[in-house]
């Protein structure tokens, strides 16, 4: 198991799980938010973004967390394990609020420097509407996984802990 992709709503715990799995499995962790955002919350131009995603997904070992649907298919094709954190929306909302408090006027570890943690109504709505907006499309994409790929859909915090425990035993 050399390439793990972690998907899910904002606040679902993608980056935290990526860091934990990276430490357990000794795999490099790539946070897509770190790559996508330039300082001041300015997104990378499409060509530059596409090239960065290509560079990282072509490597032999990685854990990549993040959605970014425009480039998701290329990551899905290369992943050996795909973890979809399909957690309750209230938990995700709680976590984004908690994250905002924890990193007040700071840049969190999975974000690019110059992008201090913020919380605005648009992001809260984006997280709240994730299931209606993106969940079905993501599940359809996961149905396309090949026989050589393992797809794990995680619905609870307990299942996340069990997943970590299982990988700790590897």
């Amino acid at each position: 198991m050399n390439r793990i992709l972690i998907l899910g709503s904002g606040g679902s715990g993608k980056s935290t799980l990526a860091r934990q799995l990276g430490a357990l499995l000794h795999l490099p962790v790539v946070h897509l938010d770190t790559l996508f955002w330039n300082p001041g919350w300015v997104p990378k131009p499409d060509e530059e973004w596409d090239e960065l995603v290509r560079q990282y997904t072509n490597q032999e070992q990685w854990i990549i967390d993040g959605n970014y649907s425009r480039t998701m298919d290329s990551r899905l094709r290369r992943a050996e394990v795909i973890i979809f954190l399909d957690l309750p929306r209230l938990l995700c909302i709680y976590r984004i609020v908690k994250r905002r408090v924890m990193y007040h006027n700071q840049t969190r570890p999975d974000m690019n420097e110059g992008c201090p943690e913020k919380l605005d109504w648009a992001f809260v709505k984006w997280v709240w509407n994730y299931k209606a907006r993106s969940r079905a499309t993501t599940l359809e994409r996961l149905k396309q996984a090949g026989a050589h790929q393992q797809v794990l859909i995680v619905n609870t915090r307990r299942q996340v802990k069990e997943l970590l425990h299982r990988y700790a035993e590897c």
Side-chain angles (χ1 to χ4, degrees):
M1 173 178 27
N2 290 304
R3 294 182 300 278
I4 300 172
L5 178 60
I6 304 174
L7 306 169
S9 172
S12 64
K14 296 180 302 294
S15 297
T16 301
L17 181 60
R19 276 193 305 277
Q20 291 169 326
L21 286 175
L24 283 172
L25 302 173
H26 308 288
L27 291 172
V29 175
V30 179
H31 302 291
L32 291 182
D33 282 343
T34 305
L35 298 178
F36 184 77
W37 296 106
N38 288 320
W41 293 96
V42 176
K44 289 257 187 322
D46 286 350
E47 286 183 18
E48 184 180 350
W49 169 243
D50 292 349
E51 182 55 31
L52 280 170
V53 170
R54 198 171 9 264
Q55 285 174 16
Y56 281 99
T57 56
N58 283 336
Q59 294 177 11
E60 286 306 309
Q61 292 188 315
W62 45 257
I63 297 174
I64 296 177
D65 78 81
N67 295 308
Y68 296 94
S69 60
R70 197 172 62 73
T71 60
M72 188 184 292
D73 288 336
S74 64
R75 288 176 274 127
L76 285 168
R77 279 192 297 276
R78 290 279 295 152
E80 295 171 340
V81 176
I82 304 158
I83 301 170
F84 178 42
L85 297 176
D86 192 18
L87 297 171
R89 78 168 87 177
L90 284 177
L91 175 62
C92 295
I93 294 290
Y94 166 76
R95 286 177 171 175
I96 64 169
V97 171
K98 179 182 172 185
R99 184 169 71 194
R100 171 60 175 89
V101 171
M102 284 177 58
Y103 294 104
H104 179 69
N105 287 332
Q106 300 175 46
T107 300
R108 68 180 194 260
D110 56 309
M111 188 56 71
N112 200 7
E113 278 302 316
C115 295
E117 189 62 25
K118 64 180 184 173
L119 184 63
D120 57 22
W121 184 242
F123 186 58
V124 172
K125 280 180 27 182
W126 186 84
V127 170
W128 184 260
N129 292 321
Y130 176 84
K131 286 193 186 250
R133 182 191 63 251
S134 302
R135 183 178 184 271
T137 304
T138 299
L139 289 171
E140 279 303 311
R141 285 175 156 167
L142 296 181
K143 287 179 184 176
Q144 307 304 315
H148 66 286
Q149 295 174 300
Q150 182 180 16
V151 175
L152 304 170
I153 299 174
V154 179
N155 302 111
T156 66
R157 289 183 286 185
R158 182 178 187 172
Q159 289 176 340
V160 172
K161 288 178 186 175
E162 290 168 357
L163 177 74
L164 285 167
H165 181 72
R166 189 173 348 138
Y167 282 116
E169 294 175 343
C170 292

